[in-house]
Amino acid sequence: MIVVHATFPIDPDHREEALDLARDVVAASTEEPGVIDYHAAVDVEDETVLRFVERYEDAAAVEAHEESEHFQAFVAGLSDVLAGDPEATRFAVDSATDVEL
């Protein structure tokens, strides 16, 4: 499994536009083959930061996602809404276990 955590600093003047972009890419991405989970959230400490947590079955699913039209549209739209450089970390995960809370 591949897990991606990405952080996007958003220009406050373009926050609603950024949220629309996030909604669109999440809705389309969750329908892709090989995508286990694909979520975006606003940071509770800074409402101008969007965080994405994505889980894929394998590297091929990540590659297909990155080549998809909806992801390319998301990336193109980011140039209008970012307030800094995005950061992303990709994790190769051998196993995962649910944790009881």
Side-chain angles (χ1 to χ4, degrees), residues 21-56:
L21 285 170
R23 286 183 194 101
D24 291 346
V25 76
V26 168
S29 298
T30 57
E31 300 299 319
E32 293 177 39
V35 173
I36 300 168
D37 290 310
Y38 198 98
H39 300 281
V42 176
D43 188 296
V44 297
E45 293 178 346
D46 184 347
E47 67 180 21
T48 64
V49 173
L50 290 179
R51 296 190 182 278
F52 284 71
V53 178
E54 309 160 22
R55 291 193 310 153
Y56 302 89

Side-chain angles (χ1 to χ4, degrees), residues 11-90:
D11 180 337
D13 294 335
H14 296 282
R15 184 173 182 274
E16 289 306 315
E17 183 180 349
L19 292 174
D20 287 342
L21 285 170
R23 286 183 194 101
D24 291 346
V25 76
V26 168
S29 298
T30 57
E31 300 299 319
E32 293 177 39
V35 173
I36 300 168
D37 290 310
Y38 198 98
H39 300 281
V42 176
D43 188 296
V44 297
E45 293 178 346
D46 184 347
E47 67 180 21
T48 64
V49 173
L50 290 179
R51 296 190 182 278
F52 284 71
V53 178
E54 309 160 22
R55 291 193 310 153
Y56 302 89
E57 290 177 0
D58 53 30
V62 175
E63 185 175 325
H65 168 68
E66 291 173 347
E67 293 174 357
S68 69
E69 280 186 42
H70 55 270
F71 181 74
Q72 293 300 318
F74 173 72
V75 170
L78 284 175
S79 62
D80 295 332
V81 301
L82 287 177
D85 294 329
E87 295 179 8
T89 305
R90 181 175 171 166

